[in-house]
Coordinates of all heavy atoms in Angstrom, one line a residue:
R44 N 252.1 -18.3 -48.4 CA 252.9 -17.5 -49.3 C 253.5 -16.3 -48.5 O 252.8 -15.5 -47.9 CB 252.1 -16.9 -50.4 CG 252.8 -16.1 -51.4 CD 252.0 -15.6 -52.6 NE 252.7 -14.9 -53.5 CZ 253.0 -13.6 -53.4 NH1 252.4 -12.9 -52.4 NH2 253.7 -12.9 -54.3
D94 N 254.5 -16.3 -63.7 CA 254.1 -16.2 -62.4 C 255.1 -16.8 -61.4 O 254.8 -17.6 -60.6 CB 252.7 -16.8 -62.2 CG 252.1 -16.4 -60.8 OD1 252.4 -15.4 -60.3 OD2 251.2 -17.2 -60.4
H97 N 254.3 -16.6 -57.7 CA 253.0 -17.2 -57.3 C 252.0 -16.1 -56.9 O 251.3 -16.2 -55.8 CB 253.2 -18.2 -56.1 CG 254.1 -19.3 -56.5 ND1 253.6 -20.6 -56.8 CD2 255.4 -19.4 -56.5 CE1 254.6 -21.4 -57.1 NE2 255.7 -20.7 -56.9
E98 N 251.9 -15.1 -57.7 CA 251.0 -14.0 -57.4 C 249.6 -14.3 -57.9 O 248.6 -13.8 -57.3 CB 251.5 -12.7 -58.0 CG 252.8 -12.3 -57.3 CD 253.4 -11.1 -58.1 OE1 253.6 -11.1 -59.3 OE2 253.7 -10.1 -57.4
R99 N 249.5 -15.0 -59.0 CA 248.2 -15.2 -59.7 C 247.6 -16.6 -59.5 O 246.4 -16.8 -59.5 CB 248.3 -14.9 -61.2 CG 248.6 -13.4 -61.4 CD 248.6 -13.1 -62.9 NE 249.8 -13.7 -63.5 CZ 251.0 -13.1 -63.5 NH1 251.1 -11.9 -62.9 NH2 252.0 -13.6 -64.1
T100 N 248.5 -17.6 -59.4 CA 248.0 -19.0 -59.1 C 247.9 -19.2 -57.6 O 248.6 -18.7 -56.8 CB 249.0 -20.0 -59.8 OG1 250.3 -19.7 -59.3 CG2 249.0 -19.8 -61.3
P101 N 247.0 -20.1 -57.2 CA 246.8 -20.4 -55.8 C 248.1 -21.0 -55.3 O 248.7 -21.8 -55.9 CB 245.7 -21.4 -55.8 CG 244.9 -21.2 -57.0 CD 245.9 -20.7 -58.1
Y102 N 248.5 -20.5 -54.1 CA 249.8 -20.9 -53.5 C 249.6 -22.3 -52.8 O 248.7 -22.5 -52.1 CB 250.3 -19.9 -52.5 CG 251.6 -20.3 -51.8 CD1 252.8 -20.1 -52.4 CD2 251.6 -21.0 -50.6 CE1 254.0 -20.5 -51.8 CE2 252.7 -21.4 -50.0 CZ 254.0 -21.1 -50.6 OH 255.1 -21.5 -50.0
R103 N 250.5 -23.2 -53.1 CA 250.6 -24.5 -52.5 C 252.0 -24.8 -52.1 O 252.9 -24.7 -53.0 CB 250.0 -25.6 -53.3 CG 249.7 -26.9 -52.6 CD 248.8 -27.8 -53.4 NE 249.5 -28.4 -54.5 CZ 249.0 -28.6 -55.7 NH1 247.8 -28.2 -55.9 NH2 249.7 -29.2 -56.6
E104 N 252.3 -25.1 -50.9 CA 253.6 -25.3 -50.4 C 254.4 -26.3 -51.2 O 255.6 -26.0 -51.6 CB 253.6 -25.7 -48.9 CG 255.0 -25.9 -48.3 CD 255.0 -26.3 -46.9 OE1 253.9 -26.6 -46.4 OE2 256.1 -26.3 -46.2
R106 N 254.0 -27.4 -54.2 CA 254.2 -26.9 -55.6 C 255.3 -25.9 -55.7 O 256.2 -26.0 -56.5 CB 252.9 -26.3 -56.2 CG 253.1 -25.8 -57.6 CD 251.8 -25.0 -58.0 NE 250.6 -25.8 -58.0 CZ 249.4 -25.2 -58.0 NH1 249.3 -23.9 -57.9 NH2 248.3 -26.0 -57.9
A107 N 255.3 -24.9 -54.8 CA 256.4 -23.9 -54.7 C 257.7 -24.5 -54.4 O 258.7 -24.1 -55.0 CB 256.0 -22.8 -53.7

Side-chain angles (χ1 to χ4, degrees):
R44 184 179 180 272
D94 193 21
H97 298 262
E98 295 172 307
R99 292 182 291 278
T100 54
Y102 178 85
R103 195 167 72 220
E104 180 180 10
R106 179 191 299 162

